[in-house]
Amino acid sequence: MTHMTARQLESVTFHQAQLQSERLRIFGVLSFVAVFVAVTSARYVVVHTASERRHWAWDLALAAAVVAYETWLLRRVSLALKTGLSLPSRFWVLSTILETSIPALGIAFLSSAQIQPVYRPIATPSVLVFFIFIVLSTLRLNSWICWLCGGTATLTYMAAASYLGWRPPVLGVPSPITGFYVLVDAVVLLVGGIVAGGVAGQVRKHVEAALREAETKRKLEAIQHDLQVARSIQQSLLPKERPSIAGFDVAGWNKPADDTGGDYFDWMMLDDGKLVATLGDVTGHGIGPALLAAVCRAYARASFRAGRDLSSTLGHINQALQGDLSPERFVTFVAAVCAPDSKEAEILSAGHGPLFIYSRSADRFTELEAQAIPFGILPFFKADPPTRLQLDPGDLLLLITDGVFEWENDRGEQFGARRVENVIRASRDLPSSEIIARLYDAVVTFANGTSQKDDLTAVLIKRL
C-alpha cells in the first residue's frame, strides 16, 4: 500500500472541504430559485393578462431547468464526497460558464414587453441575478473560478444587450443613454468577479489554515493518546505490591516529568530467599528513555534470576544493553540485596549516586558514590567490589535519582543533598512509604511553583 505525503493528505482534506462548500453554494442557488418562483407565482395571482401569463410560464420553465441542473450538480458533488473522488477541472469551468449565462437568457428573451428593447439591459431585474452567482462563486474557494464567473457575466450580459439592439458608444457619434450605462454595468460585473476572486482567495487561506490546525490537533490528540497508553504500560511494569521480607520495610515511588520517563525501580525475590531492589535512570525523559528503561528492567530481571553475584549480574546487564543504547545515551543503575532477618546488605552502583545511608544510632548520614561507570559507555563492565553494609534497627538506605535533589526553586537554587538528609532525619521513625511522601512534599514546597524538569524515583529500605 502506498502512503500519501502530508501535502497529498492536505490536498485531499481541502478537496473534501471544497466539495462541502460547493454543496452549500448549490443550496444557495436552489434557495434563490425558490424565492424567485414564490415571487413569480404571487405576481401571477395579481396580474392576469394573457401576455404576462405566457411570460411567467417561460420564467417558471427556466426556473425548473435550473433546479434540474442544480440537482444533477448536487448528486455529482454528493457522490464525490461519498467516494472520495475528485471532480475534474472541466466540471468547475463548464458549470460556472453555464450557470452564469442564465441571467443573460432572462435579459434577452424574458424581459417585460412593456419595456422598450433598448432599455431592457439596464431596466430588467435579471441583471441583479448575475451578482447572486458572482457572490455564491466565492464558496468554490477558488479565485480563478470567481474571475471566470465575472468574465462570463460581463460577456453574456453584453451579448444579451447586443441582441436587444445595444451598440457600444462611439466618440463623436450621438448614442442613446443606455449605450453608456450598459458599459458601466458590464464593468461593474467584471469588477465584481475580481473582488469575489480576492474574497475567495482569503477565504481559501482561512479554510486551509483551519484544516491544518484541525489536522495538527488530531495528530496531537493521537500522540497524547499514545503517550497515555505508554504511560499506563510503563506504570504497570512498576511493582504493584511492596515486598515482604522479614526485618525490612521497603517502599518505592516514581513520578516521571512527562507522560513517560526514563527512571524505574523494581524488586524481586531471588531463589535463595533474598530480596534485590533495583533502580535505573536512562538519560533524558520521554517515550524513548521509557522504552529503554523497560528494556533495562527486563534484562535485569533475567540476569538476576540466573543466580550470579552482583558484579557478574551487572556486567551481563551492561553487555545486553550495548546493542540497544545509542552513543549519546547511557543508564545509571544500582542494586541492593538484603537477606531476611539479616543486618547485612550488599550494594553495587553503576554510575548512580549519591546513595544515602542513615545510621539511626549515630544520627549520621553517609553518602555512597558509584563503584563503576554507567551502562552503555564501555562494552565491558569493570567495578569495585560491592559495598557491604551493616544495617542496625532504624537504619535507612535511600536509592534516589538526581531529579529530586536537582529540582530548582524560583530563585534557581537546587533542593540539594542536605535538604534530602534533613527530611529523612525528621521523618526517620515513619514507615518507608510515608518518608518518601514527606520527601516529595518537601521538594514541591521548596520548588515554589517551578515545573518538574526531571523524573523522580526513590527506593527506601528501612531496617526494622
Side-chain angles (χ1 to χ4, degrees):
M1 179 182 293
T2 58
H3 296 277
M4 290 187 291
T5 64
R7 183 178 295 274
Q8 288 172 326
L9 285 172
E10 183 178 330
S11 177
V12 171
T13 304
F14 174 77
H15 183 68
Q16 293 292 306
Q18 189 178 34
L19 291 176
Q20 292 285 0
S21 186
E22 173 66 6
R23 280 170 54 91
L24 182 62
R25 190 199 66 83
I26 293 173
F27 286 133
V29 173
L30 292 175
S31 299
F32 170 74
V33 173
V35 173
F36 172 79
V37 171
V39 172
T40 301
S41 300
R43 288 183 60 197
Y44 178 79
V45 172
V46 177
V47 182
H48 301 286
T49 62
S51 61
E52 291 297 337
R53 289 195 188 99
R54 289 195 297 268
H55 172 66
W56 296 327
W58 282 109
D59 284 345
L60 295 176
L62 181 59
V66 172
V67 169
Y69 176 69
E70 296 295 334
T71 302
W72 176 80
L73 285 182
L74 183 61
R75 292 182 59 186
R76 285 287 305 274
V77 172
S78 299
L79 181 61
L81 279 170
K82 183 177 180 180
T83 60
L85 298 177
S86 60
L87 295 174
S89 297
R90 63 177 180 273
F91 169 85
W92 305 100
V93 173
L94 294 177
S95 61
T96 299
I97 293 175
L98 184 58
E99 286 181 347
T100 314
S101 301
I102 293 173
L105 297 176
I107 293 172
F109 302 108
L110 300 178
S111 299
S112 175
Q114 299 178 3
I115 304 174
Q116 295 182 18
V118 71
Y119 290 104
R120 290 176 189 175
I122 60 174
T124 178
S126 298
V127 177
L128 301 177
V129 181
F130 280 117
F131 292 99
I132 297 295
F133 286 106
I134 291 175
V135 170
L136 290 176
S137 69
T138 58
L139 291 175
R140 287 185 158 175
L141 307 179
N142 202 313
S143 295
W144 69 265
I145 287 290
C146 296
W147 298 334
L148 177 63
C149 184
T152 302
T154 301
L155 293 177
T156 55
Y157 171 68
M158 294 177 68
S162 298
Y163 175 80
L164 294 173
W166 170 81
R167 296 294 180 268
V170 179
L171 290 176
V173 178
S175 62
I177 192 172
T178 56
F180 173 75
Y181 285 110
V182 168
L183 280 180
V184 171
D185 287 348
V187 170
V188 170
L189 290 174
L190 183 61
V191 172
I194 295 173
V195 172
V199 173
Q202 292 300 313
V203 172
R204 182 188 183 111
K205 290 180 181 178
H206 289 295
V207 170
E208 290 175 338
L211 292 174
R212 285 193 295 269
E213 182 179 355
E215 181 65 15
T216 300
K217 183 179 179 181
R218 185 192 65 80
K219 290 180 179 179
L220 288 175
E221 289 175 349
I223 292 173
Q224 188 65 29
H225 172 73
D226 292 342
L227 287 175
Q228 291 296 331
V229 172
R231 175 181 174 83
S232 64
I233 293 174
Q234 184 182 34
Q235 292 297 311
S236 69
L237 295 178
L238 298 176
K240 297 178 176 60
E241 297 180 357
R242 295 169 59 184
S244 177
I245 177 171
F248 292 93
D249 175 21
V250 183
W253 172 81
N254 168 263
K255 189 178 189 299
D258 297 326
D259 289 312
T260 56
D263 289 4
Y264 89 95
F265 71 92
D266 194 21
W267 45 63
M268 60 184 297
M269 301 301 298
L270 303 179
D271 293 339
D272 57 4
K274 294 181 179 180
L275 171 74
V276 56
T278 60
L279 184 148
D281 184 0
V282 182
T283 51
H285 48 85
I287 188 66
L291 293 174
L292 292 174
V295 170
C296 182
R297 172 187 179 276
Y299 288 150
R301 285 201 155 221
S303 299
F304 278 108
R305 290 191 185 282
R308 304 180 180 91
D309 59 73
L310 264 182
S311 297
S312 299
T313 299
L314 267 63
H316 188 266
I317 299 171
N318 178 71
Q319 184 180 6
L321 281 171
Q322 283 296 317
D324 299 322
L325 296 174
S326 56
E328 69 275 6
R329 291 206 185 277
F330 58 86
V331 181
T332 63
F333 184 88
V334 59
V337 180
C338 304
D341 288 324
S342 173
K343 63 187 304 184
E344 185 174 281
E346 191 178 21
I347 187 168
L348 182 60
S349 170
H352 197 91
L355 309 172
F356 297 88
I357 304 165
Y358 175 68
S359 172
R360 180 69 171 81
S361 59
D363 191 21
R364 183 181 68 250
F365 276 93
T366 302
E367 292 186 12
L368 182 65
E369 298 299 331
Q371 296 106 317
I373 62 174
F375 293 152
I377 294 180
L378 295 177
F380 57 87
F381 183 78
K382 184 178 180 180
D384 295 333
T387 300
R388 296 185 180 276
L389 305 175
Q390 299 295 319
L391 299 178
D392 294 321
D395 290 354
L396 302 170
L397 171 58
L398 177 64
L399 314 180
I400 192 171
T401 55
D402 54 10
V404 176
F405 47 81
E406 290 182 357
W407 194 337
E408 296 182 351
N409 61 15
D410 51 355
R411 297 186 301 275
E413 182 183 4
Q414 292 186 347
F415 188 71
R418 298 289 79 79
R419 290 186 177 86
V420 171
E421 294 175 358
N422 292 337
V423 174
I424 299 299
R425 179 179 285 111
S427 54
R428 59 193 174 186
D429 295 327
L430 298 175
S432 294
S433 59
E434 293 188 28
I435 295 176
I436 295 177
R438 291 285 182 90
L439 178 59
Y440 175 68
D441 291 341
V443 174
V444 172
T445 301
F446 170 82
N448 197 27
T450 61
S451 60
Q452 179 184 338
K453 301 297 184 183
D454 200 0
D455 305 324
L456 309 177
T457 307
V459 174
L460 186 66
I461 301 173
K462 183 178 183 179
R463 180 79 166 90
L464 298 177

